Amino acid sequence: MITKCLFPVAGYGTRFLPATKAQPKEMLPILTKPLIQYGVEEALEAGMKSIAFVTGRNKRAIEDHFDITYELEDKISGTSKESQLDSIRELIEQCTFSYTRQTHMRGLGDAILTGETLIGDQPFGVILADDLCVGEPDGVMSQMARVHEKYRCSIVAVEEVPTEEVDKYGIVKGKLLEDGNIRIKRMVEKPAPQDAPSNLAVIGRYILTPDIFEIIRNTPPGKNGEVQLTDALQTQAASGKVIAYSFQGRRFDCGSIKGFVEATNFFFDRQSELC
């Protein structure tokens, strides 16, 4: 079983300025829970109880969120508001949390490499909190863990996107397997629409094998001068060791205002149906 999940959370969240000037974008709430909590809940559902964060400056609110707040809990103890902390208490009780800092923003690949000290020599999950996923019938990371158990290699979650939006994603192409998964042959980071090998986009869910760290170390900067995880995965793909999985469920791009609003409306409607 995969027990560790890495969360790269060092980004600036510039698309949400000025809201993210002094608070992490990952702490922006969808209803009453911050984005990062949805991601940790998904990891825990998949059996990944060791949660590793690659953080940056002005990200201390994330550490505080996954910790006990004695003054607040004492204040609301015995009141009707106490139950509102049940979900975060469950995470604090069941998970362990570790943190390291990415001192310079050099891309997702560099963020993953920075987390090596927290992961060690074992396969691990990666969740980008910007992508809020609602899996059906279970979480996307749980689905991917089963795929990894079968193939024992790196797994990336993918979905089809409009052709005019391929320049926002890593785009993949490969061989369709009997079970509907794809053995990736080619990966391109944010191609122009006319250069894209397909419209199958990688979203913010990965299961990576530990050899990815050494590959990243030997991967030169790519698009925008950043160390791209896509480039490192292409090295694995050249040996047939990356599987693309079309997950069951729905994804919201909460790194954009439109996606954030869509997610808020979705969860509000779902909560209203349960009431």
Side-chain angles (χ1 to χ4, degrees):
M1 178 180 291
I2 298 173
T3 61
K4 293 188 177 183
C5 191
L6 185 66
F7 287 79
V9 293
Y12 294 117
T14 53
R15 285 185 285 180
F16 280 87
L17 287 171
T20 50
K21 180 177 181 291
Q23 71 167 328
K25 63 177 179 177
E26 296 82 9
M27 289 299 295
L28 294 174
I30 301 295
L31 302 189
T32 59
K33 287 193 298 189
L35 277 170
I36 192 66
Q37 184 172 333
Y38 288 94
V40 173
E41 289 173 347
E42 182 183 332
L44 177 60
E45 181 199 25
M48 302 175 190
K49 296 185 177 182
S50 296
I51 307 300
F53 293 104
V54 177
T55 72
R57 290 178 292 278
N58 300 322
K59 298 286 183 169
R60 292 176 183 170
I62 295 175
E63 296 185 40
D64 291 341
H65 185 68
F66 295 103
D67 197 357
I68 296 172
T69 309
Y70 291 101
E71 297 82 357
L72 171 63
E73 299 202 20
D74 180 68
K75 183 71 174 178
I76 66 175
S77 178
T79 72
S80 60
K81 293 184 180 294
E82 188 173 12
S83 63
Q84 294 177 241
L85 291 179
D86 287 349
S87 62
I88 187 61
R89 281 173 170 169
E90 180 181 355
L91 296 180
I92 293 171
E93 290 171 1
Q94 295 194 45
C95 299
T96 59
F97 300 92
S98 57
Y99 304 85
T100 190
R101 279 195 174 189
Q102 184 184 17
T103 54
H104 300 283
M105 304 300 105
R106 297 193 181 113
L108 179 57
D110 182 71
I112 299 296
L113 184 59
T114 300
E116 181 181 14
T117 185
L118 304 178
I119 297 299
D121 188 23
Q122 59 184 287
F124 61 102
V126 176
I127 290 179
L128 306 186
D130 283 359
D131 280 337
L132 176 52
C133 293
V134 181
E136 298 174 355
D138 50 10
V140 173
M141 192 55 71
S142 293
Q143 298 173 35
M144 294 175 66
R146 291 193 292 270
V147 178
H148 172 78
E149 186 175 359
K150 178 178 180 178
Y151 288 99
R152 299 291 177 175
C153 65
S154 291
I155 313 295
V156 298
V158 296
E159 69 174 1
E160 292 186 356
V161 298
T163 302
E164 62 270 18
E165 295 183 11
V166 295
D167 59 353
K168 300 177 182 177
Y169 300 93
I171 302 298
V172 307
K173 186 176 182 180
K175 179 183 178 181
L176 183 65
L177 304 176
E178 291 182 359
D179 59 6
N181 295 312
I182 295 173
R183 190 176 298 279
I184 295 176
K185 297 295 184 182
R186 186 181 177 202
M187 302 184 72
V188 183
E189 180 65 21
K190 299 178 180 178
Q194 65 272 19
D195 299 325
S198 73
N199 69 331
L200 204 57
V202 178
I203 62 112
R205 298 293 185 276
Y206 308 81
I207 290 179
L208 303 177
T209 52
D211 58 310
I212 196 70
F213 295 123
E214 189 61 30
I215 294 172
I216 293 172
R217 259 190 288 273
N218 293 295
T219 298
K223 190 90 172 182
N224 299 324
E226 297 179 338
V227 179
Q228 301 291 347
L229 178 60
T230 300
D231 294 340
L233 285 169
Q234 175 62 61
T235 300
Q236 286 187 327
S239 301
K241 295 181 179 179
V242 185
I243 297 294
Y245 170 67
S246 295
F247 62 94
Q248 303 298 307
R250 183 173 179 181
R251 161 191 167 262
F252 298 95
D253 177 12
C254 290
S256 70
I257 294 174
K258 179 183 178 183
F260 188 88
V261 173
E262 289 176 347
T264 300
N265 291 337
F266 174 87
F267 280 91
F268 179 79
D269 291 341
R270 190 166 74 166
Q271 178 177 280
S272 299
E273 291 173 359
L274 296 174
C275 294

Coordinates of all heavy atoms in Angstrom, one line a residue, residues 135-148 151 154-160 172 177 179-184 200-203 205-207 242-249:
G135 N -14.5 12.1 -6.8 CA -14.4 10.8 -7.4 C -15.7 10.1 -7.4 O -16.5 10.3 -6.4
E136 N -16.0 9.2 -8.3 CA -17.2 8.4 -8.3 C -16.8 6.9 -8.6 O -16.3 6.7 -9.7 CB -18.2 8.9 -9.3 CG -18.6 10.3 -9.1 CD -19.5 10.9 -10.2 OE1 -19.6 10.2 -11.3 OE2 -20.0 12.0 -10.1
P137 N -17.1 5.9 -7.8 CA -17.8 6.1 -6.5 C -16.8 6.5 -5.3 O -17.2 6.9 -4.3 CB -18.4 4.7 -6.2 CG -17.4 3.8 -6.9 CD -16.9 4.5 -8.1
D138 N -15.5 6.3 -5.6 CA -14.5 6.7 -4.5 C -13.6 7.7 -5.1 O -13.6 8.0 -6.3 CB -13.8 5.4 -4.0 CG -13.3 4.5 -5.0 OD1 -13.3 4.9 -6.2 OD2 -12.9 3.4 -4.7
G139 N -12.7 8.2 -4.2 CA -11.8 9.3 -4.6 C -10.8 8.9 -5.8 O -10.5 7.7 -6.0
V140 N -10.4 9.9 -6.5 CA -9.5 9.7 -7.6 C -8.2 9.1 -7.2 O -7.7 8.2 -7.8 CB -9.2 11.1 -8.3 CG1 -8.2 10.9 -9.4 CG2 -10.5 11.6 -8.9
M141 N -7.6 9.5 -6.0 CA -6.4 8.9 -5.6 C -6.6 7.4 -5.2 O -5.7 6.6 -5.5 CB -5.8 9.6 -4.4 CG -4.4 9.3 -4.1 SD -3.2 9.4 -5.4 CE -3.0 11.1 -5.7
S142 N -7.7 7.0 -4.7 CA -8.0 5.6 -4.4 C -8.1 4.8 -5.7 O -7.6 3.7 -5.8 CB -9.3 5.5 -3.7 OG -9.3 6.0 -2.4
Q143 N -8.7 5.4 -6.7 CA -8.8 4.8 -8.0 C -7.4 4.6 -8.6 O -7.1 3.5 -9.1 CB -9.6 5.6 -9.0 CG -11.1 5.8 -8.6 CD -11.8 6.8 -9.5 OE1 -11.5 6.9 -10.7 NE2 -12.7 7.6 -8.9
M144 N -6.5 5.6 -8.5 CA -5.2 5.5 -9.1 C -4.3 4.5 -8.3 O -3.5 3.8 -8.9 CB -4.6 6.9 -9.1 CG -5.2 7.9 -10.0 SD -4.6 9.5 -9.8 CE -2.9 9.3 -10.5
A145 N -4.5 4.4 -7.0 CA -3.8 3.4 -6.2 C -4.0 2.0 -6.7 O -3.1 1.2 -6.8 CB -4.1 3.5 -4.7
R146 N -5.3 1.7 -7.1 CA -5.6 0.4 -7.7 C -4.9 0.2 -9.0 O -4.4 -1.0 -9.3 CB -7.1 0.2 -7.8 CG -7.8 0.1 -6.5 CD -9.2 -0.4 -6.6 NE -10.1 0.6 -7.3 CZ -10.8 1.5 -6.7 NH1 -10.7 1.7 -5.4 NH2 -11.5 2.4 -7.4
V147 N -4.8 1.2 -9.8 CA -4.1 1.1 -11.1 C -2.6 0.9 -10.9 O -2.0 0.0 -11.6 CB -4.4 2.4 -12.0 CG1 -3.6 2.3 -13.3 CG2 -5.8 2.6 -12.2
H148 N -2.0 1.6 -9.9 CA -0.6 1.4 -9.6 C -0.4 0.0 -9.1 O 0.7 -0.6 -9.5 CB -0.2 2.4 -8.6 CG 1.2 2.1 -8.0 ND1 2.3 2.5 -8.8 CD2 1.7 1.5 -6.9 CE1 3.4 2.1 -8.1 NE2 3.0 1.5 -7.0
Y151 N 0.0 -2.1 -12.3 CA 1.1 -1.9 -13.2 C 2.5 -1.6 -12.6 O 3.5 -1.7 -13.2 CB 0.8 -0.7 -14.1 CG -0.3 -1.0 -15.1 CD1 -1.6 -0.6 -14.9 CD2 0.0 -1.6 -16.3 CE1 -2.6 -0.9 -15.8 CE2 -1.0 -1.9 -17.3 CZ -2.3 -1.5 -17.0 OH -3.3 -1.8 -17.9
S154 N 4.6 4.6 -12.6 CA 4.0 5.9 -12.4 C 2.6 6.0 -13.1 O 2.5 5.4 -14.2 CB 4.9 7.0 -12.9 OG 6.1 7.1 -12.1
I155 N 1.7 6.6 -12.4 CA 0.3 6.8 -12.9 C 0.0 8.3 -12.9 O 0.3 9.0 -12.0 CB -0.7 6.0 -12.0 CG1 -0.2 4.6 -11.7 CG2 -2.1 6.1 -12.7 CD1 -0.1 3.7 -12.9
V156 N -0.6 8.7 -14.0 CA -1.0 10.1 -14.1 C -2.5 10.1 -14.4 O -3.0 9.3 -15.2 CB -0.3 11.0 -15.1 CG1 1.2 11.0 -14.7 CG2 -0.4 10.4 -16.5
A157 N -3.3 11.0 -13.8 CA -4.7 11.1 -14.1 C -4.9 12.1 -15.3 O -4.2 13.1 -15.3 CB -5.5 11.7 -12.9
V158 N -5.8 11.7 -16.2 CA -5.9 12.5 -17.4 C -7.4 12.7 -17.7 O -8.3 11.9 -17.2 CB -5.3 11.9 -18.6 CG1 -3.8 11.8 -18.4 CG2 -5.8 10.5 -18.9
E159 N -7.7 13.8 -18.4 CA -9.1 14.0 -18.9 C -9.0 14.8 -20.2 O -8.0 15.5 -20.4 CB -9.9 14.7 -17.9 CG -9.6 16.2 -17.7 CD -10.5 16.9 -16.8 OE1 -11.5 16.3 -16.3 OE2 -10.3 18.1 -16.5
E160 N -10.0 14.6 -21.0 CA -10.0 15.4 -22.3 C -10.4 16.8 -22.0 O -11.2 17.1 -21.2 CB -11.0 14.8 -23.2 CG -10.7 13.4 -23.8 CD -11.6 12.9 -24.8 OE1 -12.6 13.6 -25.1 OE2 -11.4 11.8 -25.4
V172 N -0.7 14.3 -23.3 CA -0.1 12.9 -23.5 C -0.7 12.2 -24.7 O -1.8 12.6 -25.2 CB -0.3 12.1 -22.3 CG1 0.1 12.8 -21.0 CG2 -1.8 11.7 -22.1
L177 N -4.6 0.5 -23.9 CA -4.6 -0.9 -23.4 C -5.9 -1.5 -23.3 O -7.0 -0.8 -23.4 CB -3.9 -0.9 -22.0 CG -2.5 -0.3 -22.0 CD1 -1.9 -0.3 -20.6 CD2 -1.5 -1.0 -23.0
D179 N -7.6 -2.6 -20.9 CA -8.5 -2.2 -19.7 C -8.9 -0.7 -19.8 O -9.5 -0.2 -18.9 CB -7.7 -2.4 -18.4 CG -6.4 -1.7 -18.3 OD1 -6.1 -0.9 -19.2 OD2 -5.7 -1.9 -17.3
G180 N -8.6 -0.1 -21.0 CA -8.9 1.3 -21.2 C -7.9 2.3 -20.7 O -8.1 3.5 -21.0
N181 N -6.9 1.9 -20.1 CA -5.8 2.8 -19.7 C -4.8 3.0 -20.9 O -5.0 2.3 -21.9 CB -5.0 2.2 -18.5 CG -5.8 2.2 -17.2 OD1 -6.5 3.2 -16.9 ND2 -5.8 1.0 -16.6
I182 N -3.9 4.0 -20.8 CA -3.1 4.3 -21.9 C -1.6 4.2 -21.4 O -1.3 4.8 -20.4 CB -3.3 5.7 -22.4 CG1 -4.7 5.8 -23.0 CG2 -2.3 6.1 -23.4 CD1 -5.2 7.2 -23.4
R183 N -0.8 3.5 -22.1 CA 0.6 3.4 -21.8 C 1.2 4.6 -22.6 O 1.3 4.6 -23.8 CB 1.3 2.1 -22.2 CG 2.7 2.0 -21.7 CD 3.3 0.7 -22.0 NE 2.6 -0.4 -21.4 CZ 2.8 -0.8 -20.1 NH1 3.7 -0.2 -19.4 NH2 2.1 -1.8 -19.6
I184 N 1.7 5.6 -21.9 CA 2.1 6.9 -22.5 C 3.4 6.7 -23.3 O 4.4 6.1 -22.8 CB 2.3 8.0 -21.5 CG1 0.9 8.3 -20.8 CG2 2.9 9.2 -22.1 CD1 1.0 9.3 -19.7
L200 N -5.7 15.1 -24.6 CA -5.7 14.4 -23.3 C -4.7 15.0 -22.3 O -3.5 14.9 -22.5 CB -5.4 12.9 -23.5 CG -5.9 11.9 -22.5 CD1 -7.4 11.9 -22.4 CD2 -5.4 10.5 -22.9
A201 N -5.3 15.7 -21.3 CA -4.5 16.5 -20.4 C -4.3 15.8 -19.1 O -5.2 15.2 -18.5 CB -5.2 17.9 -20.2
V202 N -3.0 16.0 -18.5 CA -2.7 15.6 -17.2 C -3.3 16.6 -16.2 O -3.1 17.8 -16.3 CB -1.2 15.5 -17.0 CG1 -0.8 15.0 -15.6 CG2 -0.6 14.5 -18.0
I203 N -4.0 16.1 -15.2 CA -4.5 16.9 -14.1 C -3.7 16.7 -12.8 O -2.8 15.9 -12.8 CB -6.0 16.8 -13.9 CG1 -6.4 15.3 -13.5 CG2 -6.7 17.1 -15.2 CD1 -6.9 15.2 -12.1
R205 N -3.2 15.0 -10.2 CA -3.1 13.8 -9.5 C -2.1 12.8 -10.1 O -2.1 12.5 -11.3 CB -4.5 13.0 -9.4 CG -5.6 13.8 -8.8 CD -5.4 14.0 -7.3 NE -6.5 14.6 -6.7 CZ -6.7 15.9 -6.6 NH1 -5.8 16.8 -7.2 NH2 -7.7 16.5 -6.0
Y206 N -1.1 12.4 -9.3 CA 0.0 11.5 -9.8 C 0.2 10.4 -8.7 O 0.1 10.7 -7.5 CB 1.3 12.3 -10.0 CG 1.2 13.5 -10.8 CD1 0.7 14.7 -10.3 CD2 1.6 13.5 -12.2 CE1 0.7 15.9 -11.1 CE2 1.5 14.6 -12.9 CZ 1.1 15.8 -12.4 OH 1.0 17.0 -13.1
I207 N 0.7 9.3 -9.2 CA 1.4 8.4 -8.3 C 2.7 8.1 -9.0 O 2.8 7.8 -10.2 CB 0.7 7.0 -8.1 CG1 -0.6 7.2 -7.2 CG2 1.6 6.0 -7.5 CD1 -1.4 6.0 -7.0
V242 N 4.9 4.7 -17.6 CA 3.9 5.7 -17.2 C 2.6 5.3 -17.8 O 2.5 5.2 -19.0 CB 4.3 7.2 -17.6 CG1 3.3 8.1 -17.0 CG2 5.7 7.5 -17.1
I243 N 1.6 5.2 -17.0 CA 0.2 4.9 -17.4 C -0.7 6.1 -17.2 O -0.7 6.7 -16.1 CB -0.3 3.7 -16.6 CG1 0.5 2.4 -16.9 CG2 -1.8 3.5 -16.9 CD1 0.4 1.9 -18.3
A244 N -1.5 6.4 -18.2 CA -2.5 7.5 -18.1 C -3.8 6.9 -17.7 O -4.2 5.9 -18.4 CB -2.6 8.3 -19.4
Y245 N -4.4 7.4 -16.7 CA -5.7 6.9 -16.2 C -6.8 7.9 -16.3 O -6.7 9.0 -15.7 CB -5.5 6.4 -14.7 CG -6.8 6.1 -14.1 CD1 -7.6 4.9 -14.5 CD2 -7.4 6.9 -13.0 CE1 -8.8 4.6 -13.9 CE2 -8.6 6.5 -12.4 CZ -9.3 5.4 -12.8 OH -10.5 5.1 -12.3
S246 N -7.8 7.6 -17.0 CA -9.0 8.5 -17.2 C -9.9 8.2 -16.0 O -10.6 7.2 -15.9 CB -9.8 8.2 -18.5 OG -8.9 8.6 -19.6
F247 N -9.9 9.1 -15.0 CA -10.5 8.8 -13.7 C -12.0 8.9 -13.8 O -12.6 9.6 -14.7 CB -10.0 9.8 -12.7 CG -10.3 11.3 -13.0 CD1 -11.4 11.9 -12.5 CD2 -9.4 12.0 -13.8 CE1 -11.7 13.2 -12.8 CE2 -9.7 13.3 -14.1 CZ -10.8 14.0 -13.6
Q248 N -12.7 8.3 -12.9 CA -14.1 8.4 -12.8 C -14.5 9.5 -11.8 O -14.2 9.4 -10.6 CB -14.7 7.0 -12.3 CG -14.3 5.9 -13.2 CD -14.8 6.0 -14.6 OE1 -16.0 6.2 -14.8 NE2 -13.9 5.9 -15.6
G249 N -15.2 10.5 -12.3 CA -15.6 11.6 -11.4 C -15.5 12.9 -12.1 O -15.5 13.0 -13.3

